[in-house]
Amino acid sequence: QAYELWFKLVLRELRDARDHLAAPLVPEDTIPYVVHHLRRVTEIMKLAVPMMCAWYLHERPLPPKPSHLLMLCALIFVPAALVVVQPDLGTAVLIVLTGATAIFLGGPGWRYIAGAATLVLASAPALWLVMHEYQRKRVLTMLDPDSDPLGAGFQAMQSLIAVGSGGLFGLGPGNSLQKLYFLPHPESDFVYAI
């Protein structure tokens, strides 16, 4: 049953990736609907992948054997690769991280964890080369928002100011000063700053 759900979700991702690649052929007024539809399926995958990994680990003795780890990697990377095609790198990274967390909680040996960490670090330069320019800029801005405080780093800088002025317990509900149009997108990931 769980495999059926996983395959249905992967098939849905395949269709969505195909739809995304064909998006320029779609009339302009339907593109927002297609994009909204893609977002919903990828949100489901964020939860389905770690649940599928947990189900797979539940059926087998722990710690997982190398063959089980390879199967788990396939369960994680197939949906993540389909999301990257859309292109939604942030969601793909979250899918991989949630799946990797499920594997970590399954208790693989430290040598497998060290090997995976080494593989990730060794592949980082290759991943950097295949990223789009806007993705590289977002990563650099995340690492150093001070590099462009009035442009790409403005949102991050304003949220840091909001969290800093509120301290550990905040200024109270509705009393944040950054919500007064200093924080350009308060409804995004920075809702905590309000």
Side-chain angles (χ1 to χ4, degrees), residues 42-122:
T42 56
E43 296 300 322
I44 293 170
M45 292 306 287
K46 288 179 190 176
L47 297 174
V49 167
M51 287 172 35
M52 188 67 190
C53 292
W55 171 83
Y56 185 83
L57 288 171
H58 172 74
E59 299 289 323
R60 284 147 188 83
L62 296 178
K65 296 178 183 175
S67 61
H68 297 155
L69 290 174
L70 288 175
M71 181 60 180
L72 287 166
C73 287
L75 289 173
I76 295 169
F77 287 111
V78 168
L82 294 173
V83 172
V84 166
V85 170
Q86 291 179 6
D88 190 355
L89 184 64
T91 300
V93 168
L94 278 174
I95 289 171
V96 170
L97 287 177
T98 56
T101 301
I103 293 174
F104 178 76
L105 294 175
W110 284 105
R111 67 180 181 178
Y112 293 116
I113 295 171
T118 303
L119 184 64
V120 167
L121 290 175

Side-chain angles (χ1 to χ4, degrees), residues 12 40-41 44 81 96 103 112 134 148 160-161 167 169 191:
R12 186 79 175 255
R40 288 186 299 169
V41 176
I44 293 170
V96 170
I103 293 174
Y112 293 116
Y134 76 92
D148 189 10
L160 288 173
I161 292 169
F169 298 106
V191 70

